[in-house]
Every structure is written in C-alpha cells, then in structure tokens.
Amino acid sequence: MQCPKCDSQYVVKNGHTHTGQQNFKCRNCGRQFVMNPKHQPISKSTRELIDR
C-alpha cells in the first residue's frame, strides 16, 4: 500500500470514516486517505460548467 501523495510505504491505520471505511495515514507527509474512495471531488472543469 502506498500514499497517493508521496508514494511512501510508511502507512498506518488511522480509524474509520463516517461511512465505515478504513482510514489510513501516511507517516511521511501526514495525508489521510482511504483505499477505494466512493466519492471523488468535483473537477475544476465540471465546476466551471456548473457555474455557467
């Protein structure tokens, strides 16, 4: 398992999200993440389309 931000192997379990998925934390950069996120952030191009 690798950190999506810095590709570090130093990842530890860090509780669960409110949806019940296992939460992980990178020990190098401090980023928290889940392995298979269900919800993706809206891209900038989609946001611009919505604003129009």
Side-chain angles (χ1 to χ4, degrees):
M1 178 182 327
Q2 292 181 338
C3 173
K5 184 176 182 182
C6 68
D7 292 326
S8 171
Q9 295 290 328
Y10 299 110
V11 175
V12 294
K13 290 182 179 179
N14 192 33
H16 290 86
T17 64
H18 66 278
T19 59
Q21 289 186 310
Q22 180 69 54
N23 203 19
F24 296 95
K25 184 175 184 179
C26 176
R27 296 181 91 189
N28 278 350
C29 67
R31 167 142 181 197
Q32 293 186 33
F33 61 95
V34 293
M35 286 306 297
N36 297 315
K38 293 179 183 175
H39 303 287
Q40 297 292 327
I42 299 172
S43 66
K44 289 182 181 181
S45 61
T46 304
R47 282 185 191 267
E48 291 172 0
L49 181 63
I50 292 169
D51 289 340
R52 280 192 256 149

